Amino acid sequence: MFTELNSILNASPDTITQGEFILISDRKSDASFLIHHFLTFYLKARCRVCFLGLVQSFNHYHAVSQRLGVSLLQAKEKGQLVFLEGLSESLSVLSPRETNTGSHLGRGGEAMDFLRDPAIGLKSLYEFVRSSLSSSDGAEEWGPPVLLVDDLSVLLSLGVSVGAVLDFSHYCRVTVCSQLKGNVAMLARCDGEEEEDDGDDEGSERLLKGLTHQCSLTLHVQGLPTGYCRDIHGQVEVCWRRRRQCEGKYTQKKLFQYKVHDKGASFFAPGTSSAVL
């Protein structure tokens, strides 16, 4: 958890803003450090977290979280964290003979059944999210439910259509943010230039635009316009999207520079800001 980012977002584990859909994105950069921030932030806030880890193993997230002062193993044991390890569950779906054990024939494998036929959509993955956050395991009472996804755009490379991914994010937002009064944070990547509208990145661009319309807060990570710098790793554009009575939609943007340190800490320096009605 990065205290500088909490200050920028006016957030604290003691005072959680409910009903937020947070979109994390990057272009020719790596925004994964923000996923680690929100994972540790919500666990420290005692929220019940469902984490769809589609690109890294549980051990990877656990190692990073430990450096940030949180044990994912303990969170799982207490029932606070439900973790879907996409890599291992994908193997159980695509090569069932190699992983024919009880632990790989449960809800996680069913959630990834779209791998057999991407055209069926992501209904099973949504049902995994809904059931994980609607039910409570263990005796402890947790705070608002939270869904984290790292990263949503990988579903496109697995053959799922942009429309199906946007439907999935929409239903998750309605269920988690509106019905359960919790929060959602999703990472989506775009590797091409912003001006490109064709080629391999067309799907990721369309996905990013669709998610932007759904979210209430965006954090977009990109490299410095001036190129590589040893002391500054890149910049983050933070955009708040709010609705005000009689004013319609209100958008406020701020630009910050950042540096990721060895132990996962990040320093944000103020840049420019703007507000648009």
Side-chain angles (χ1 to χ4, degrees):
M1 184 177 69
F2 310 140
T3 55
E4 295 90 348
L5 182 57
N6 287 341
S7 178
I8 290 170
L9 301 179
N10 193 26
S12 166
D14 299 324
T15 55
I16 295 294
T17 301
Q18 297 175 247
E20 278 199 325
F21 185 167
I22 303 169
L23 172 61
I24 304 165
S25 63
D26 59 33
R27 189 182 301 277
K28 293 187 174 180
S29 190
D30 186 5
S32 58
F33 68 97
L34 292 176
I35 280 288
H36 295 297
H37 162 77
F38 284 110
L39 174 60
T40 54
F41 174 83
Y42 285 120
L43 288 176
K44 286 184 177 180
R46 293 187 54 81
C47 294
R48 180 170 170 82
V49 177
C50 176
F51 188 7
L52 306 184
L54 303 179
V55 294
Q56 297 285 356
S57 67
F58 175 82
N59 289 337
H60 167 80
Y61 297 108
H62 178 60
V64 176
S65 295
Q66 277 190 311
R67 294 202 299 267
L68 299 177
V70 173
S71 172
L72 299 192
L73 282 174
Q74 291 182 4
K76 283 185 66 177
E77 292 171 356
K78 293 187 297 183
Q80 183 185 10
L81 172 66
V82 178
F83 185 87
L84 175 68
E85 187 167 340
L87 296 176
S88 62
E89 296 298 351
S90 297
L91 184 61
S92 72
V93 173
L94 298 176
S95 302
R97 293 182 181 179
E98 298 181 13
T99 58
N100 191 22
T101 62
S103 61
H104 288 279
L105 298 176
R107 295 169 56 236
E110 294 176 359
M112 303 292 289
D113 67 353
F114 64 88
L115 291 172
R116 298 190 185 96
D117 181 11
I120 66 175
L122 301 172
K123 182 178 179 181
S124 296
L125 189 60
Y126 162 75
E127 288 296 335
F128 175 88
V129 172
R130 185 190 61 79
S131 62
S132 296
L133 294 178
S134 298
S135 60
S136 179
D137 298 329
E140 293 197 49
E141 291 292 331
W142 304 112
V146 173
L147 168 65
L148 298 177
V149 183
D150 180 21
D151 77 66
L152 201 62
S153 52
V154 76
L155 296 173
L156 301 180
S157 64
L158 296 175
V160 183
S161 68
V162 174
V165 177
L166 289 175
D167 285 344
F168 170 74
S169 65
H170 168 74
Y171 283 111
C172 287
R173 178 176 63 88
V174 171
T175 299
V176 180
C177 299
S178 299
Q179 297 179 2
L180 301 179
K181 307 302 180 185
N183 292 342
V184 173
M186 296 183 174
L187 171 64
R189 300 184 183 277
C190 281
D191 295 327
E193 299 292 340
E194 192 169 1
E195 294 79 14
E196 289 182 356
D197 56 4
D198 56 5
D200 293 339
D201 291 315
E202 181 182 5
S204 60
E205 292 290 347
R206 288 172 52 208
L207 176 62
L208 185 60
K209 291 178 181 177
L211 292 171
T212 301
H213 287 296
Q214 296 181 12
C215 71
S216 56
L217 172 66
T218 63
L219 295 94
H220 181 64
V221 177
Q222 53 191 341
L224 294 171
T226 54
Y228 172 78
C229 178
R230 184 179 62 181
D231 297 323
I232 302 174
H233 291 161
Q235 59 187 24
V236 181
E237 182 185 72
V238 183
C239 179
W240 292 267
R241 302 171 182 275
R242 304 182 178 95
R243 291 192 177 275
R244 292 182 174 178
Q245 276 189 326
C246 304
E247 292 184 3
K249 200 166 188 178
Y250 174 83
T251 301
Q252 181 183 17
K253 295 181 179 180
K254 290 186 178 181
L255 189 64
F256 300 89
Q257 296 174 337
Y258 73 91
K259 180 178 181 179
V260 179
H261 301 284
D262 292 338
K263 291 188 176 181
S266 182
F267 174 77
F268 288 74
T272 59
S273 64
S274 63
V276 180
L277 285 176

